[in-house]
Amino acid sequence: MLKKVLFIALLSVALTACGSNFKETTTRSGSSSTSFATEQTVSNENTAQQASTNEVTDKEYLFAEFLKDGTPVLTEDQASMEQTSYDFIAKNSDLFPSTDKSKVINLVDKSVTTKHLNKNLNLYLNKFVKISGDVIDIEEDNIPIGTTAIVYISDENDNTVMAVYPGASGEIFEGDVATVIGVPIANFSYENVSGGYTNTTLLAASFLTKENQ
């Protein structure tokens, strides 16, 4: 399932996301005039303040932009990211990732299972869901947006989610039991080792943890 080529493809996506979001600023050249120098100082301070504001804005949208560009890659061109999911991730950018479960657990819609996601994903594109199950594949790498992990989890109903987590996965390995909290992005299918196809849901992961076995 997961191959190094996937992260190589995502590397170019990450570079695009980083490059497209950072804005250029320009300042006027200096002058020997005292009044102009004062004006220039104020202008430079305003420019620096604006640049700082732009950087904050860029960081807020960085993971959302990354997933927007990356969804077709991750789903092998079967799906694209809906604006609803994009807006939700950007609005809650401080939770991607969150290492504190208490910050996100109360935001989870506990009634939603993988069966609901498979039936009508559009109802849950702006909701946190919690999925637990066996880790059937996991890979982690460093890309321009930071350390990123991709993990496949199969739940008790034998339904699968593919979670993209913008952080280090720690001591989570194939065969472990893990829990992911995230927002759904798209449904798609991939070819499994038996030669058939497995339906899965792509998640933008906020929280990822290994469960006690």
Side-chain angles (χ1 to χ4, degrees):
M1 285 178 289
L2 285 176
K3 299 179 180 178
K4 199 68 177 179
V5 67
L6 181 60
F7 265 110
I8 293 174
L10 286 179
L11 175 62
S12 63
V13 170
L15 288 170
T16 300
C18 289
S20 64
N21 281 304
F22 287 92
K23 303 174 181 64
E24 295 181 355
T25 58
T26 59
T27 58
R28 293 176 294 182
S29 60
S31 169
S32 58
S33 167
T34 303
S35 60
F36 185 83
T38 302
E39 179 184 344
Q40 181 66 31
T41 300
V42 173
S43 176
N44 287 341
E45 289 176 352
N46 291 338
T47 300
Q49 183 178 3
Q50 182 62 42
S52 176
T53 301
N54 287 340
E55 184 177 356
V56 172
T57 302
D58 291 333
K59 290 179 180 178
E60 289 176 353
Y61 287 92
L62 188 57
F63 188 49
E65 281 292 321
F66 169 71
L67 287 173
K68 178 181 178 181
D69 293 338
T71 296
V73 177
L74 292 164
T75 64
E76 298 181 347
D77 290 324
Q78 296 177 44
S80 59
M81 186 181 195
E82 296 292 337
Q83 189 65 40
T84 303
S85 296
Y86 181 99
D87 292 342
F88 182 85
I89 294 169
K91 180 181 178 180
N92 298 280
S93 60
D94 59 319
L95 298 178
F96 291 92
S98 173
T99 57
D100 186 351
K101 187 177 181 180
S102 65
K103 290 184 177 181
V104 293
I105 191 64
N106 292 330
L107 302 176
V108 172
D109 187 336
K110 297 181 176 63
S111 67
V112 181
T113 68
T114 53
K115 290 182 178 180
H116 294 87
L117 301 181
N118 289 336
K119 182 179 180 180
N120 189 351
L121 188 73
N122 291 328
L123 296 177
Y124 313 105
L125 296 178
N126 59 352
K127 297 179 181 293
F128 274 122
V129 299
K130 181 171 76 72
I131 308 296
S132 299
D134 297 326
V135 177
I136 56 177
D137 207 346
I138 186 169
E139 188 169 340
E140 180 180 296
D141 209 342
N142 294 318
I143 58 178
I145 68 165
T147 301
T148 302
I150 299 178
V151 55
Y152 284 85
I153 295 176
S154 178
D155 70 1
E156 60 184 3
N157 298 313
D158 292 327
N159 293 323
T160 304
V161 296
M162 174 187 183
V164 180
Y165 179 68
S169 57
E171 292 296 306
I172 301 177
F173 299 97
E174 183 179 339
D176 289 337
V177 176
T179 292
V180 61
I181 295 175
V183 60
I185 296 177
N187 285 334
F188 69 104
S189 62
Y190 63 87
E191 188 173 3
N192 56 44
V193 294
S194 301
Y197 286 87
T198 299
N199 296 324
T200 190
T201 299
L202 176 63
L203 295 180
S206 168
F207 180 80
L208 179 65
T209 189
K210 179 179 178 178
E211 298 293 341
N212 295 327
Q213 294 177 267

